[in-house]
């Protein structure tokens, strides 16, 4: 697969990241600039951006490393402090968020960006054994990407997305156990 131009986020990407956040998520579940800045400072290898030809961020994926799987509201909570949850020696990669710019969607870029980002983080942190993420039951596109990458549902958190749900406010927690050669 042709490698995408993916790199660690820099401090000067923060405006573009916040624009992507505004395009990607409804207001009640958007992360603040402060939370995003903390994430990219605390674990830069896990905060990746997809560049366009001008070097601007047209997608981002951010993550943390956890010591174990904990499908609990508090760990997934909006605005949580990465300094409290990220443990570099842990074995579980938590993908805290991902989005691509609306103008770039629908042609397979989201899936490739996700696959290649997880592969990059695994290259940088070979001790990782598994990965976890959480999404709204209403995010069909994201669900298809994660399923295609081997993630499977392990829990549901009722009412997690009440603030934005059209019909189904459940969060789905998905997990993937890494085996050599997948991503
Ligand atoms: C999720 C997101 C990154 C996908 O980006 P993308 O470039 O459109 O993704 P792809 O083109 O690779 O499509 C991935 C799959 O989702 C499907 N899909 C995309 N949008 C969809 C939609 N609105 N409804 C149904 N399926 C959709 C595609 O058909 C494709 O499935 P397939 O390969 O099995 O046919 C993008 O839609 C986005 O940023 N959404 C807002 C933020 C978000 O939901 N982030 C996920 C947080 S967990």
């Amino acid at each position: 697969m042709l490698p995408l131009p993916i790199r660690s986020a820099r401090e000067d990407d923060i405006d573009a990241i916040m624009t992507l956040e505004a395009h990607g998520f409804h207001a009640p579940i958007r992360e603040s600039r402060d939370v995003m800045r903390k994430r990219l400072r605390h674990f830069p290898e896990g905060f990746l951006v997809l560049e366009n030809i001008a070097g601007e961020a047209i997608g981002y994926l951010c993550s943390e490393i956890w010591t174990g799987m904990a499908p609990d509201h508090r760990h997934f909570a909006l605005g949580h402090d990465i300094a409290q949850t990220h443990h570099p020696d842990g074995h579980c990669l938590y993908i805290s968020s991902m989005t691509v710019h609306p103008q770039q969607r629908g042609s397979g870029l989201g899936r490739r960006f996700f696959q290649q980002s997880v592969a990059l983080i695994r290259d940088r942190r070979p001790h990782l054994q598994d990965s976890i993420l959480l999404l709204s039951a209403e995010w069909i596109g994201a669900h298809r990407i994660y399923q295609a990458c081997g993630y499977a549902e392990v829990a549901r958190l009722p009412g997690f997305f009440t603030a934005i749900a059209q019909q189904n406010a459940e969060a789905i927690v998905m997990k993937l156990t890494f085996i050599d050669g997948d991503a």
Side-chain angles (χ1 to χ4, degrees):
M1 188 189 294
L2 205 61
L4 293 169
I6 299 172
R7 59 168 170 78
S8 286
R10 300 182 304 249
E11 295 272 340
D12 63 355
D13 290 316
I14 195 71
D15 287 341
I17 288 166
M18 296 316 296
T19 300
L20 290 166
E21 183 74 0
H23 283 304
F25 301 99
H26 294 294
I29 62 159
R30 280 178 206 147
E31 293 291 3
S32 69
R33 178 175 292 257
D34 187 45
V35 163
M36 288 304 201
R37 197 180 274 122
K38 274 189 187 151
R39 287 181 183 177
L40 72 85
R41 284 182 183 162
H42 205 78
F43 182 32
E45 300 92 336
F47 201 137
L48 302 176
V49 297
L50 174 64
E51 286 185 335
N52 65 9
I53 201 156
E56 298 155 340
I58 55 166
Y60 80 73
L61 177 145
C62 49
S63 65
E64 312 177 358
I65 299 177
W66 288 357
T67 49
M69 195 198 130
D72 179 299
H73 278 70
R74 288 165 301 170
H75 287 76
F76 298 115
L78 188 76
H80 76 265
D81 181 359
I82 186 171
Q84 305 297 318
T85 48
H86 176 72
H87 300 280
D89 296 334
H91 63 75
C92 182
L93 177 69
Y94 168 53
I95 310 290
S96 46
S97 191
M98 175 193 66
T99 188
V100 298
H101 193 282
Q103 287 174 359
Q104 312 293 331
R105 292 179 195 164
S107 61
L109 193 61
R111 180 184 294 194
R112 289 166 61 218
F113 177 49
F114 181 79
Q115 281 175 325
Q116 293 186 26
S117 295
V118 173
L120 265 175
I121 297 169
R122 288 186 65 197
D123 280 350
R124 295 167 173 185
R125 294 285 192 275
H127 69 285
L128 289 169
Q129 295 172 7
D130 46 35
S131 176
I132 189 169
L133 53 81
L134 171 144
L135 72 158
S136 159
E138 296 186 340
W139 295 346
I140 308 298
H143 194 257
R144 291 181 72 86
I145 291 174
Y146 304 143
Q147 262 188 330
C149 292
Y151 286 74
E153 179 175 332
V154 290
R156 289 204 175 215
L157 304 179
F160 190 93
F161 284 105
T162 299
I164 60 154
Q166 304 279 317
Q167 291 178 334
N168 187 348
E170 285 180 320
I172 302 175
V173 181
M174 300 182 85
K175 186 184 175 194
L176 169 68
T177 300
F178 293 137
I179 48 173
D180 287 344
D182 68 7

